[in-house]
Amino acid sequence: MHSSAMMVTMRLIHILAGVFLTGTTIFMAFFLVPSLRAIGAAGAPVMQQIGQVRKLPLYLMATMILTLLTGVGLYSVDSSGFRRDWMMSGPGATFGVGGLLAIIAAGVGMAVNSPAGRRMAELSSEVAAKGGAPSAEQMAEIGVLQGRLAMSTRLTAILLVFAVTAMSIARYIP
């Protein structure tokens, strides 16, 4: 038996962390990253501020972990220990699909966004240490990394929107 205070706390953490993660990802995918790509090398200090000073990647990772762990916990409680009959019901299957989409989004973030973001930070530091503009090789690599980040961030945002949609309607699916 789970206390209602624990369930309310888990649900609150799950929803608030998920809102922050999804909202931030949507903002980055459709506003921030395209704007920074459009201004080119001048966007590097913004990314450096967001990534290295404000530590946004760490906040995103922490909220992703909190969202996934509380989601699995809530799913376990709702399904009475992952009972197959509930998991195959309309709500159970819809919550399951939403959770799977969120897990895939987390995988894309960890496999693509994190390494690309780290390499962009390294390049930014190299350019800053050298002073002046990035070399042609550095600009080429930055362009490739920006393209990779733009694509994977859009994919992650879309997956998260579908995950949130599934979870927001799951209780109403017969």
Side-chain angles (χ1 to χ4, degrees), residues 81-94:
F82 303 105
R83 272 191 13 251
R84 181 169 164 55
D85 61 328
W86 185 85
M87 291 170 54
M88 299 307 292
S89 71
T94 307

Side-chain angles (χ1 to χ4, degrees), residues 16-65:
L16 291 176
V19 165
F20 173 77
L21 180 64
T22 302
T24 301
T25 304
I26 290 168
F27 170 73
M28 289 176 58
F30 298 106
F31 297 96
L32 183 62
V33 172
S35 297
L36 293 174
R37 285 186 78 191
I39 62 173
V46 174
M47 286 307 288
Q48 191 170 27
Q49 178 70 21
I50 289 171
Q52 295 174 350
V53 176
R54 301 281 178 192
K55 309 283 189 214
L56 181 62
L58 292 177
Y59 287 104
L60 291 174
M61 184 69 70
T63 55
M64 176 193 67
I65 291 167

Side-chain angles (χ1 to χ4, degrees), residues 112-123:
V112 181
N113 292 23
S114 290
R118 274 193 301 276
R119 180 62 187 143
M120 295 254 319
E122 290 169 6
L123 282 170

